[in-house]
C-alpha cells in the first residue's frame, strides 16, 4: 500500500527533468491503491455510479454524454520515476475503467490512458515541470473526445499561432531554487467568440486573486464557422479552463455553441434551460478523491464566490491599513 509522502514533500524529481506532484490536499501517491489511501475502489465506485447516472439522465433528455478523466502525470509518465513511488497500473483512471466495463453505461468514459501511453515516448504529453498537458497532450485528449462523440475535428490546428518562452510552472515553482521550463502556448481560438462570462469568470481573470476563485466560472462561445452544427456543455476544471490554449478553446472552435462551467458536478437546471446536444464532464484524476456532489447550481455558487471576493478585497485593504 502506498503511504502518504512526508509532511511538506510535494514534488518528486524524476529522471530527465521530470517533476511529479506527490503531496497536496489529495496526497497524490495514496490514490494508487485498491484499499486504503484517499481513493480505494469502494470510494471510486461513487464515480462509477455518478457517470452511469449522468449518462442515463442525459439519455432521458435526448442528449449525448461523455466523461473524460484527465490522467495524473504519474499515470502516464510513471516510467520516469527516479525511485518507486506508485504502481501506475493501480491508477484511479484504470480502476474506474474496470468498474465501468461491466455496465452498458460504461461506454460514456473516454479512455485517455491507453492512447497517451502509446504516444508518451514520441512526444511529451505533459510539461516536465507542471501538472498539465502540453499542446500535444491537449490535442490527444481532444481527438479522443471527438472520436467518442462523432464530432468532426478542426483540421488546421497545427497552423494556429503560438508563443514560446521560459516559464515558472506549477511544480517547478515549488522547488528551491525554482526550475524554469521553455514552453509553447498555442492560441487555438480563432473563429469562436466569447459572448458571455459570469462574475466568477471575471474574478478568475483578475490577477489579484491569482486564480484562487474559479469554481462556478461560466463562459459561452459562439462559432458560426464550426465544423459541427451542435451545442455542447462542458463541466470541467483547469484542464479545460478559459485560456486560449486549453481544451475549452479547442471545443469552442469545433461546435456552433459551447458553454464551459468550472465544476466537478452538473447543473441540471442549466442543462434543461440551455438544451445542449451534448454534455461532457471532465475531472482531473487527483481530484476524484472528492466524491461527486448530487446537486450543483452555478448561479448560487457564483453568488458565494462574489462574497468570497469581497472578503478577500477587505482582508487586503485591512492588511494595508495595519501596515
Amino acid at each position: 500500500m502506498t503511504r502518504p509522502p512526508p509532511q511538506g514533500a510535494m514534488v518528486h524529481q524524476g529522471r530527465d527533468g521530470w517533476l511529479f506532484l506527490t503531496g497536496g490536499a489529495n496526497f497524490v501517491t495514496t490514490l494508487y491503491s485498491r484499499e486504503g489511501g484517499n481513493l480505494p475502489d469502494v470510494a471510486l465506485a461513487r464515480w462509477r455510479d455518478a457517470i452511469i447516472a449522468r449518462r442515463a439522465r442525459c439519455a432521458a433528455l435526448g442528449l449525448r454524454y461523455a466523461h473524460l478523466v484527465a490522467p495524473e502525470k504519474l499515470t502516464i509518465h510513471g516510467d520516469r520515476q527516479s525511485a518507486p513511488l506508485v504502481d501506475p497500473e493501480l491508477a484511479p483512471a484504470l480502476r474506474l475503467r474496470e468498474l465501468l466495463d461491466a455496465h452498458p453505461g460504461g461506454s460514456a468514459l473516454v479512455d485517455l490512458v491507453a492512447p497517451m501511453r502509446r504516444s508518451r515516448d514520441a512526444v511529451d504529453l505533459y510539461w516536465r515541470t507542471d501538472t498539465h498537458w502540453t499542446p500535444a497532450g491537449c490535442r490527444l485528449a481532444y481527438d479522443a473526445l471527438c472520436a467518442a462523440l462523432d464530432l468532426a475535428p478542426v483540421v488546421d490546428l497545427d497552423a494556429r499561432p503560438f508563443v514560446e518562452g521560459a516559464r515558472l510552472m506549477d511544480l517547478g515553482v515549488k522547488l528551491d531554487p525554482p526550475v524554469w521550463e521553455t514552453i509553447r502556448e498555442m492560441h487555438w481560438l480563432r473563429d469562436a467568440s466569447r459572448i458571455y462570462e459570469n462574475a466568477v469568470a471575471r474574478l478568475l481573470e483578475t490577477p489579484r486573486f491569482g486564480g484562487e476563485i474559479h469554481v462556478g466560472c461560466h463562459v459561452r462561445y459562439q462559432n458560426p464557422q464550426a465544423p459541427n452544427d451542435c451545442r455542447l456543455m462542458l463541466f470541467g476544471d483547469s484542464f479545460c479552463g478559459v485560456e486560449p490554449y486549453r481544451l475549452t478553446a479547442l471545443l469552442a472552435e469545433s461546435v456552433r455553441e459551447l458553454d464551459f462551467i468550472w465544476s466537478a458536478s452538473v447543473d441540471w437546471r442549466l442543462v434543461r434551460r440551455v438544451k445542449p446536444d451534448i454534455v461532457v464532464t471532465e475531472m482531473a484524476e487527483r481530484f476524484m478523491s472528492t466524491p461527486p456532489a448530487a446537486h450543483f447550481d452555478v448561479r448560487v455558487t457564483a453568488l458565494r464566490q462574489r462574497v468570497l471576493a469581497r472578503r478577500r478585497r477587505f482582508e487586503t485593504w485591512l492588511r494595508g491599513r495595519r501596515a
Side-chain angles (χ1 to χ4, degrees):
M1 182 176 67
T2 309
R3 295 182 178 180
Q7 187 174 1
M10 292 286 291
V11 179
H12 170 73
Q13 298 187 53
R15 297 186 292 109
D16 303 322
W18 284 88
L19 302 182
F20 299 94
L21 182 68
T22 59
N26 303 293
F27 290 110
V28 172
T29 56
T30 73
L31 305 181
Y32 295 77
S33 176
R34 291 193 180 277
E35 299 179 4
N38 277 13
L39 194 54
D41 282 353
V42 65
L44 199 56
R46 293 177 295 196
W47 278 101
R48 174 202 61 196
D49 296 343
I51 293 169
I52 292 170
R54 289 173 181 176
R55 183 179 184 273
R57 197 161 183 175
C58 284
L61 294 171
L63 315 177
R64 286 180 285 167
Y65 171 68
H67 181 77
L68 200 67
V69 174
E72 192 62 24
K73 199 170 170 182
L74 280 166
T75 299
I76 304 303
H77 291 293
D79 58 324
R80 309 299 171 89
Q81 300 172 85
S82 59
L85 286 177
V86 301
D87 180 356
E89 299 311 310
L90 293 177
L94 292 176
R95 291 186 284 123
L96 179 62
R97 174 76 277 166
E98 291 175 7
L99 291 172
L100 283 165
D101 277 344
H103 195 283
S107 60
L109 179 64
V110 180
D111 176 36
L112 293 183
V113 177
M116 283 189 162
R117 285 182 174 180
R118 286 195 297 268
S119 302
R120 67 185 179 185
D121 293 330
V123 61
D124 287 359
L125 300 173
Y126 291 72
W127 298 116
R128 299 197 179 200
T129 64
D130 197 84
T131 57
H132 293 90
W133 294 323
T134 62
C138 192
R139 280 281 303 276
L140 189 151
Y142 165 74
D143 289 339
L145 186 60
C146 286
L149 293 170
D150 293 322
L151 294 176
V154 179
V155 297
D156 64 345
L157 291 173
D158 290 334
R160 300 295 167 96
F162 61 87
V163 294
E164 199 169 66
R167 305 285 173 84
L168 269 179
M169 308 294 275
D170 66 5
L171 295 178
V173 75
K174 290 178 168 61
L175 298 182
D176 185 18
V179 177
W180 293 72
E181 182 174 4
T182 299
I183 69 164
R184 173 177 292 191
E185 286 183 353
M186 300 297 300
H187 197 294
W188 305 120
L189 282 176
R190 186 188 66 192
D191 301 326
S193 301
R194 196 162 98 179
I195 62 169
Y196 168 77
E197 70 273 337
N198 68 355
V200 183
R202 293 189 289 273
L203 291 169
L204 173 61
E205 295 174 328
T206 302
R208 74 165 73 178
F209 295 108
E212 175 193 1
I213 299 176
H214 49 265
V215 176
C217 163
H218 180 193
V219 294
R220 179 173 296 153
Y221 298 85
Q222 279 187 350
N223 183 3
Q225 301 182 60
N228 302 280
D229 185 18
C230 61
R231 189 169 193 174
L232 189 149
M233 184 167 287
L234 172 65
F235 295 87
D237 52 34
S238 60
F239 282 87
C240 296
V242 296
E243 298 92 343
Y245 50 85
R246 301 286 192 199
L247 182 60
T248 299
L250 283 171
L251 292 172
E253 288 293 293
S254 307
V255 297
R256 172 174 46 84
E257 193 155 306
L258 172 76
D259 286 84
F260 166 66
I261 300 93
W262 195 312
S263 170
S265 304
V266 177
D267 184 338
W268 292 105
R269 288 192 183 92
L270 182 65
V271 171
R272 289 192 295 269
R273 185 167 70 250
V274 173
K275 299 178 180 178
D277 302 290
I278 303 169
V279 173
V280 174
T281 53
E282 176 272 325
M283 188 72 179
E285 193 174 19
R286 65 180 173 274
F287 294 131
M288 291 169 62
S289 58
T290 301
H295 304 287
F296 172 73
D297 189 314
V298 66
R299 290 180 174 177
V300 172
T301 302
L303 288 173
R304 290 173 179 162
Q305 295 286 47
R306 291 174 69 180
V307 171
L308 175 62
R310 292 192 187 101
R311 186 161 67 243
R312 292 287 184 269
R313 290 189 186 103
F314 175 74
E315 291 168 351
T316 301
W317 174 85
L318 190 60
R319 284 195 297 268
R321 291 281 293 178
R322 287 172 176 169

